[in-house]
Amino acid sequence: MTATQHTQAFSLALLTAALFAQDAKPPAALAPGELTLVTWHPKRPTKESDYQVARWGPRGLPSQGYVFRARKILPITQPPIDDGAIITHDGVIQAIGKSKDLAVPAGYEVIECGDTWIVPGFVDLHCHIASPSFDLNDTVHPTNPEFRTLDLISMEHDQIRMARAGGITSVLYLPGSGSNMGGFGTLTKTWGHSPDDALIRFPGSLKIAQAGNPERGTGDLGATVMGMNEGLRMTLLDGKRYYDQYERFLAGQGQKPKFDPTLELLRGLFRHEFPVSVHTQIYQVVLETLRELRLELGLWTVVVHGEFDAYRLSGNMQEAGLPIAAGPRTYHFDRATSKILGLHQVWYTGGPYYPWRSPVQGVGRDGIGINTDSPVVPEEQLTVQAAIAVRLGLPHEVALRGLTINPARFAGIDHRTGSLEVGKDADLVVWSGDPIDPRSTVQKTVVNGNLCYRRDEKRPAW
């Protein structure tokens, strides 16, 4: 490292320390439910048509017109609707409200769902089962920006069928964590006439794994934690230089860079067209995620593990606009207090964490998501993950948001999915009751307006 690099590193360390020193101040007098975490991505294009690198999937594909009627509808972003109805056609929601207030359009099929709940299709940001081949890994080279999951997706295999039967309609299909930079994941629906029809956005995110799984002691240089962090930085800085040169070209201030297939998608990362999904856990490693990826490199960052004692950083994450899609582990045994903590709950509330001198703020209701890391936890058990989180202290409303609108916002797809609203994708699930009650079952699943799963009435409920 040169003297200049040493100086830059020291300056960055001082900046980071100054930011973290803010934890010494008492948190704002807000209850966790009043906190609003706004995911930090200031460069993100405002319209899908403004994206230069990422590609969005189609909308408005042909589908039958339906009117779904049920005892209760949970739009998530609006109050519940008793004795409600939802009208869908050609893949989108056309109307939602009280059944008595909505006329049935000519030619639409009315589906009486009876004493059931209708909720948005669930969104899982940590999935490895959208293809029968499971993980994509390369344990030879630590960073693989040329890899992608897009070409592996299949809608017809047992595990993706089970996901539909479990009420999951959107997933972020990630590469594995066998290397530090596993490649680019894909946001996809769990049903479609083809993978192209099911596509939400590619890239969905860049997958990075810090410590833990990539520490295999084999392959190329950079097997230690410090070496892996430096390898990630070097690859991302190559992408940043490529991005900067391309931006100068677009501004009429230089030549267009030579096309580099290993760096082209990284250009979209620095344009904030999609986030980096980070497999990161334990306080020190999550701290490095925050420091290097969010504060140093300025990336739109989402943590997709956040386990063990990483929750102690909740105040820093709130300040940095860095959300947590926590799991698959849902609890932590705190040896300092001999207590079992619900991880989602402590991320949500913050608190007086030992040995902190002052309480730290939580990420609040808008900063927490729930995942499975399927098949680590089977995809269809996403609601069981939520039930455990609620049992360990997470409020029921926050758990529902952590399955729906929150992960959709973390990934930048909340204009399409995550809640039941007019104009959004017709992704909805009919449950026999409260979806976070493990006794409830999925009766019907609708993806892009297509009724793609019906519970077999001959099958026993238990």
Side-chain angles (χ1 to χ4, degrees):
M1 182 181 287
T2 67
T4 299
Q5 289 172 320
H6 273 297
T7 301
Q8 291 173 340
F10 181 68
S11 298
L12 179 63
L14 290 177
L15 171 63
T16 305
L19 286 169
F20 294 163
Q22 297 176 29
D23 272 353
K25 298 185 297 184
L30 289 173
E34 297 174 316
L35 277 171
T36 299
L37 185 145
V38 178
T39 302
W40 187 86
H41 42 45
K43 299 178 186 176
R44 179 186 165 198
T46 56
K47 298 182 295 184
E48 290 185 5
S49 57
D50 293 333
Y51 283 63
Q52 293 183 8
V53 179
R55 174 166 65 92
W56 289 90
R59 299 191 74 193
L61 296 172
S63 67
Q64 165 72 38
Y66 290 111
V67 180
F68 297 92
R69 292 173 173 162
R71 178 174 66 87
K72 185 183 291 290
I73 296 176
L74 299 182
I76 300 299
T77 53
Q78 298 294 328
I81 303 169
D82 292 326
D83 297 320
I86 301 177
I87 301 177
T88 70
H89 186 245
D90 285 346
V92 299
I93 296 172
Q94 292 186 322
I96 180 170
K98 291 278 190 181
S99 292
K100 63 183 180 60
D101 298 332
L102 298 180
V104 177
Y108 282 46
E109 180 181 349
V110 177
I111 298 182
E112 298 288 356
C113 301
D115 187 19
T116 61
W117 294 27
I118 298 180
V119 302
F122 295 146
V123 181
D124 189 349
L125 295 188
H126 200 165
C127 165
H128 298 280
I129 64 143
S131 84
S133 58
F134 308 120
D135 276 358
L136 172 69
N137 273 308
D138 183 346
T139 55
V140 176
H141 296 291
T143 60
N144 302 283
E146 67 275 18
F147 279 15
R148 66 185 198 177
T149 61
L150 177 66
D151 312 286
L152 306 176
I153 294 173
S154 169
M155 296 291 103
E156 294 305 324
H157 59 92
D158 288 345
Q159 293 203 67
I160 205 72
R161 293 189 187 102
M162 289 298 293
R164 296 195 290 265
I168 292 85
T169 59
S170 300
V171 296
L172 176 52
Y173 174 39
L174 293 170
S177 54
S179 52
N180 291 131
M181 185 182 292
F184 291 91
T186 307
L187 280 161
T188 179
K189 300 292 179 69
T190 57
W191 183 89
H193 291 293
S194 69
D196 288 338
D197 285 354
L199 179 67
I200 304 173
R201 188 185 69 221
F202 176 80
S205 73
L206 172 67
K207 169 66 180 297
I208 281 179
Q210 290 188 305
N213 288 20
E215 296 180 72
R216 300 178 186 274
T218 61
D220 209 334
L221 298 175
T224 66
V225 174
M226 291 181 65
M228 289 188 292
N229 288 336
E230 185 60 19
L232 285 169
R233 179 183 286 105
M234 292 170 64
T235 300
L236 289 168
L237 287 176
D238 284 343
K240 180 67 163 54
R241 285 188 284 269
Y242 185 81
Y243 158 78
D244 287 340
Q245 186 178 351
Y246 212 106
E247 291 298 299
R248 288 194 294 271
F249 161 72
L250 293 175
Q253 299 173 0
Q255 292 186 339
K256 184 176 182 179
K258 181 180 178 182
F259 177 77
D260 188 332
T262 65
L263 300 179
E264 178 64 19
L265 292 180
L266 290 177
R267 185 166 69 87
L269 185 70
F270 285 97
R271 281 178 51 82
H272 290 179
E273 294 187 6
F274 47 85
V276 52
S277 297
V278 193
H279 172 129
T280 184
Q281 54 205 352
I282 306 173
Y283 178 88
Q284 293 87 344
V285 184
V286 176
L287 179 62
E288 178 61 17
T289 297
L290 173 61
R291 191 195 70 79
E292 179 178 329
L293 301 179
R294 164 63 181 86
L295 298 179
E296 177 186 345
L297 295 172
L299 299 178
W300 169 6
T301 307
V302 178
V303 166
V304 293
H305 265 277
E307 297 151 326
F308 303 99
D309 61 346
Y311 62 86
R312 300 173 189 269
L313 289 162
S314 60
N316 302 111
M317 299 304 196
Q318 170 65 237
E319 293 169 7
L322 200 163
I324 311 296
R329 185 185 295 268
T330 57
Y331 65 90
H332 174 64
F333 178 69
D334 182 8
R335 289 180 174 84
T337 60
S338 296
K339 293 181 179 179
I340 292 178
L341 305 176
L343 284 177
H344 296 87
Q345 186 266 333
V346 289
W347 272 115
Y348 163 68
T349 60
Y353 300 143
Y354 178 85
W356 274 219
R357 292 183 178 179
S358 301
V360 298
Q361 194 64 273
V363 297
R365 69 165 198 171
D366 299 321
I368 191 73
I370 300 169
N371 73 51
T372 60
D373 193 6
S374 59
V376 174
V377 172
E379 190 65 59
E380 65 273 16
Q381 292 183 18
L382 180 60
T383 54
V384 177
Q385 293 285 89
I388 295 171
V390 171
R391 176 66 179 83
L392 294 175
L394 188 69
H396 185 274
E397 178 207 357
V398 179
L400 282 172
R401 296 179 71 88
L403 297 171
T404 54
I405 192 62
N406 284 1
R409 286 175 176 164
F410 300 170
I413 58 172
D414 52 301
H415 62 296
R416 289 194 174 204
T417 192
S419 61
L420 300 177
E421 301 178 47
V422 172
K424 283 195 175 185
D425 294 355
D427 297 342
L428 56 96
V429 182
V430 181
W431 285 83
S432 62
D434 180 354
I436 296 183
D437 184 336
R439 296 169 296 182
S440 298
T441 55
V442 172
Q443 304 299 299
K444 298 176 179 64
T445 300
V446 178
V447 178
N448 286 337
N450 289 274
L451 190 52
C452 59
Y453 171 80
R454 292 178 186 258
R455 185 172 178 82
D456 185 352
E457 298 299 331
K458 298 180 182 178
R459 179 182 175 186
W462 308 106

